[in-house]
């Protein structure tokens, strides 16, 4: 087990006072047998009301309504977790799923179907053409997934992007570059083209860069594998996820789980500045 402290600061500055509309926050890590929250603190200005709920994917969602106008919005989250995932390779697939292709068990098909449907329907031909170049059929299921994972990591150029949303898979394939969320989106769409249930994960990564701060959130993918359940693949690093990955939210659509979403109302076109600082530290 390791203890990690996650600090996530988001600071918006406006040139004049604005009305802050409702905001939705996905900042609290997903708890389970592998992650336990030891302490949690959320500081927000200006004055607000907050309501916590679970969304359709059981993510912990905070709904924030503001009580006054302001020229600044600050959201600061600090969470200490205990992470118990020590051996990401310690799993065994059901025998029927060890070799690709396979069919999910009948009692799971209805629940997994939504995660097998493409989010970018117009890109399926392009993604399928890319998959055909890799001669994947007949491979062991896990070997196939690791091949895809490492192919993206090794053959694409990582590029941090400030723009909201994700690139389409065809954009990532044509540019041979993208951010972590773009890589995860391509990996997910490729898995769905192969009939494998997959979903998008937004969260944090513990790495030397995040120890120092000035980092951002991270994104990766999970694939449902009979015998082990949802298994994480990080195409940015080409690795399986482990205790250095901290999931906050999962979704079918990669664009539906930003850490912070909301809007404001002001006069005319207003130039807004935004500061985001994520720091993940290992604690004794």
């Amino acid at each position: 087990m390791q203890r990690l402290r996650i600090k996530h600061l988001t600071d918006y500055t406006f040139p004049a006072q604005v009305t802050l509309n409702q905001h939705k926050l996905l900042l609290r890590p997903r708890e389970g047998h592998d992650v336990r929250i030891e302490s949690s603190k959320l500081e927000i200005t200006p004055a607000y009301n907050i309501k916590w709920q679970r969304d359709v994917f059981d993510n912990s969602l905070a709904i924030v309504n503001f009580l006054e106008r302001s020229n600044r919005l600050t959201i600061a989250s600090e969470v200490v977790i205990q992470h118990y995932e020590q051996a990401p390779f310690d799993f065994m697939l059901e025998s029927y799923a060890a070799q690709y292709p396979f069919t999910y068990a009948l009692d799971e098909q209805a629940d997994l179907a939504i995660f097998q449907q493409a989010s970018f329907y117009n890109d399926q031909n392009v993604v399928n053409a890319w998959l055909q170049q890799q001669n994947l059929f007949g491979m062991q299921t896990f070997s196939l997934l690791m091949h895809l994972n490492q192919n993206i990591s090794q053959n694409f150029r990582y590029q941090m992007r400030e723009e909201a949303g994700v690139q389409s898979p065809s954009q990532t394939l044509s540019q041979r570059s993208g951010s972590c969320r773009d890589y995860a989106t391509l990996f997910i769409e490729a898995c769905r083209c192969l009939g494998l249930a997959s979903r998008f994960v937004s969260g944090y990564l513990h790495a030397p860069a995040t120890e120092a701060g000035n980092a951002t959130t991270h994104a990766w993918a999970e694939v449902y594998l009979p015998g082990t359940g949802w298994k994480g693949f990080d195409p940015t690093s080409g690795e399986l996820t482990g205790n250095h990955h901290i999931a906050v939210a999962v979704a079918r659509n990669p664009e539906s789980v930003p850490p912070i979403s909301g809007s404001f109302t002001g006069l005319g076109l207003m130039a807004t500045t935004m500061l985001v600082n994520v720091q993940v530290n290992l604690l004794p």
Side-chain angles (χ1 to χ4, degrees), residues 6-10 12 23-30 37 39-44 50 52-53 55 59-64 74-81 202-204 217 246-249 257-261 276-278:
I6 305 156
K7 292 184 176 181
H8 184 166
L9 170 67
T10 304
Y12 296 90
H23 279 57
K24 297 181 179 181
L25 314 182
L26 287 165
L27 300 172
R28 185 180 176 89
R30 289 172 63 89
I37 294 179
S39 65
S40 177
K41 180 171 62 176
L42 183 62
E43 297 180 346
I44 303 173
I50 190 168
W52 290 89
Q53 63 186 51
D55 69 9
N59 301 312
S60 187
L61 175 66
I63 308 295
V64 180
T74 302
I75 301 170
S77 169
E78 181 175 334
V79 182
V80 175
I81 67 166
S202 175
Y204 302 104
T217 56
I246 305 105
V248 169
V257 285
I260 297 173
S261 60
V276 177
N277 187 1
V278 172

Side-chain angles (χ1 to χ4, degrees), residues 226-248:
T228 189
W230 290 104
K231 194 68 179 173
F233 294 82
D234 185 351
T236 300
S237 64
E239 300 175 350
L240 285 181
T241 61
N243 60 7
H244 49 295
H245 290 78
I246 305 105
V248 169

